[in-house]
Amino acid sequence: MRIIVARNVGEAYAVATSHVHEAAQLQDSRNGPVLWLPYPLATVLRRPLERVLYDPVRDANPFFHLMEAVWMLAGCHDVEWIAQFNQRMREYSDNGVTLWGAYGRRWRSWFGRDQLPAVIAALRYDPTTRRVVLKIWDPMADPSRVAEGGRDVPCNLVVTVQVTLPPHSANAPVGDSQLDLVVFARSHDLLWGLYGANAVHFGYLLEYLADAVGVAPGSLTFVSANAHVYATEWAKRYPDATHWPDSYLDGPYEFGIVRPYRPLIHSTYGTVEDFDRDLRAFVGAAWQRTLYAHPFIPEVATPVREAWGLRDVDAQAAMGRLGECAASDWRLACGQWLARHRHVPVPGAWTTEPAVAR
């Protein structure tokens, strides 16, 4: 096993690229040739709320990543809603209507109950417990779906959740308690999955649970039994070992240009149950007419979603609406994506002024 300990997803992605260049082996798969790491890979993100990947060669779609995280926390599995932001999601549906392996549904309803309130209650009752497990893989149903050739079975299998104390030295005071997640996966596509979508939606899951329990967000660890990239997609971006992602040291988080929006669940405005209602309303038909309890939806998710809707109609107006997003990291990433794909300049202030801490 190899272990990557990184500040954030940007650093982890850069280090993982070196693993692919140096050690990956070509192998066939059901979806075409992959470059496979011949060892399990563990990735530890020390600041998992710094979850936005800025590398322009990777060209991640931040609109999709943020919307998918909200869709998952709301417990959804419908294709139509999430396909607004990524048409390729339709390719993973067996019936054209739902996604069998949607993580949000697995978290919130698949096993006959909502697992997230149970996780929160257990950790509030006993913060020292090591017995909190969030199930994703269903051993009664998923093997049959695999045998039937299903397009979408979960890659991430199970999540352990613990409240810990951060490491400290004998000369330093003990810090506040923090909530740590460890995600175990049978298979991780490093390009599209682990360092793309997974870092975002599991980062939001960690933040949601930490805020609900009342502790600080801690570390996020992924343990990948099979870590790989699809060879064709990788070659488009990094044709040889001289092509690397932009150094994470040049990233907006490291320079203090952006910061994660905090908190996700704001006790001043309501409870976690109120936040859950916000999530469900946002993925509903009346999302633009809803009065939300917590600021995250109107201040972050709504401007990003509306900017996406404007991108092909009036890209300049889309950039303007995006400028109202209170999350500086998502605002900048979405603005850079618009600049690359719709040729609209990013306002200079977005890349020169430090983010305002909330």
Side-chain angles (χ1 to χ4, degrees):
M1 174 176 281
R2 300 291 189 273
I3 301 174
I4 297 172
V5 180
R7 168 175 168 150
N8 55 32
V9 67
E11 179 184 359
Y13 179 65
V15 175
T17 300
S18 68
H19 283 260
V20 174
H21 282 317
E22 294 167 8
Q25 300 176 8
L26 192 63
Q27 192 176 68
D28 288 331
S29 80
R30 62 186 175 84
N31 291 322
V34 296
L35 292 167
W36 164 74
L37 296 181
Y39 43 74
L41 180 68
T43 302
V44 183
L45 302 178
R46 294 182 291 106
R47 298 189 185 185
L49 304 195
E50 296 181 354
R51 57 204 143 207
V52 183
L53 191 61
Y54 289 94
D55 178 58
V57 177
R58 165 60 179 84
D59 193 29
N61 181 345
F63 293 93
F64 166 61
H65 284 170
L66 178 59
M67 293 300 107
E68 186 185 34
V70 174
W71 178 78
M72 286 186 179
L73 282 177
C76 299
H77 69 138
D78 60 303
V79 173
E80 199 59 37
W81 194 90
I82 194 59
Q84 299 175 78
F85 311 99
N86 184 349
Q87 290 292 327
R88 290 194 63 192
M89 294 298 289
R90 300 181 191 279
E91 300 173 12
Y92 299 100
S93 174
D94 292 311
N95 60 13
V97 178
T98 60
L99 288 163
W100 172 269
Y103 295 134
R105 189 185 182 211
R106 299 292 175 118
W107 301 339
R108 311 216 70 152
S109 64
W110 180 273
F111 296 98
R113 65 168 181 163
D114 189 341
Q115 296 186 79
L116 300 192
V119 167
I120 294 163
L123 291 171
R124 284 176 175 173
Y125 177 75
D126 180 9
T128 68
T129 184
R130 302 184 302 277
R131 296 178 172 181
V132 177
V133 177
L134 183 63
K135 294 194 298 181
I136 299 174
W137 181 265
D138 184 346
M140 301 301 292
D142 288 325
S144 297
R145 180 57 56 128
V146 171
E148 295 165 359
R151 299 179 185 180
D152 178 42
V153 293
C155 295
N156 297 282
L157 309 176
V158 65
V159 181
T160 61
V161 190
Q162 294 186 25
V163 173
T164 66
L165 292 174
H168 63 283
S169 68
N171 297 321
V174 176
D176 294 333
S177 296
Q178 63 183 32
L179 187 139
D180 300 331
L181 292 190
V182 180
V183 182
F184 296 88
R186 60 175 180 81
S187 178
H188 268 144
D189 173 2
L190 303 181
L191 190 66
W192 301 112
L194 178 53
Y195 303 123
N198 292 162
V200 176
H201 50 241
F202 281 105
Y204 270 110
L205 175 65
L206 183 154
E207 186 178 8
Y208 171 95
L209 293 173
D211 285 357
V213 172
V215 297
S219 65
L220 173 58
T221 300
F222 293 96
V223 180
S224 313
N226 182 297
H228 61 270
V229 295
Y230 286 95
T232 302
E233 293 296 329
W234 191 258
K236 289 178 184 177
R237 293 164 177 79
Y238 311 110
D240 57 60
T242 65
H243 291 74
W244 295 84
D246 285 0
S247 169
Y248 79 95
L249 292 175
D250 295 335
Y253 289 118
E254 288 72 21
F255 278 130
I257 295 170
V258 300
R259 296 176 187 151
Y261 176 97
R262 290 284 298 141
L264 182 65
I265 301 174
H266 204 306
S267 60
T268 302
Y269 296 97
T271 63
V272 65
E273 291 78 15
D274 294 325
F275 188 78
D276 286 343
R277 282 190 286 272
D278 285 353
L279 293 169
R280 291 191 295 269
F282 186 69
V283 297
W287 68 279
Q288 288 179 305
R289 301 189 300 276
T290 298
L291 182 62
Y292 296 98
H294 292 267
F296 173 76
I297 295 296
E299 291 188 0
V300 178
T302 295
V304 169
R305 183 175 178 181
E306 291 182 344
W308 176 260
L310 289 167
R311 75 194 186 286
D312 292 328
V313 178
D314 186 339
Q316 194 67 55
M319 191 70 81
R321 184 67 179 103
L322 194 58
E324 299 173 32
C325 174
S328 57
D329 51 359
W330 289 113
R331 183 175 69 236
L332 178 59
C334 291
Q336 290 176 339
W337 189 94
L338 280 176
R340 289 193 298 272
H341 291 266
R342 297 297 182 271
H343 309 294
V344 182
V346 179
W350 292 14
T351 56
T352 57
E353 294 182 356
V356 178
R358 292 183 56 81

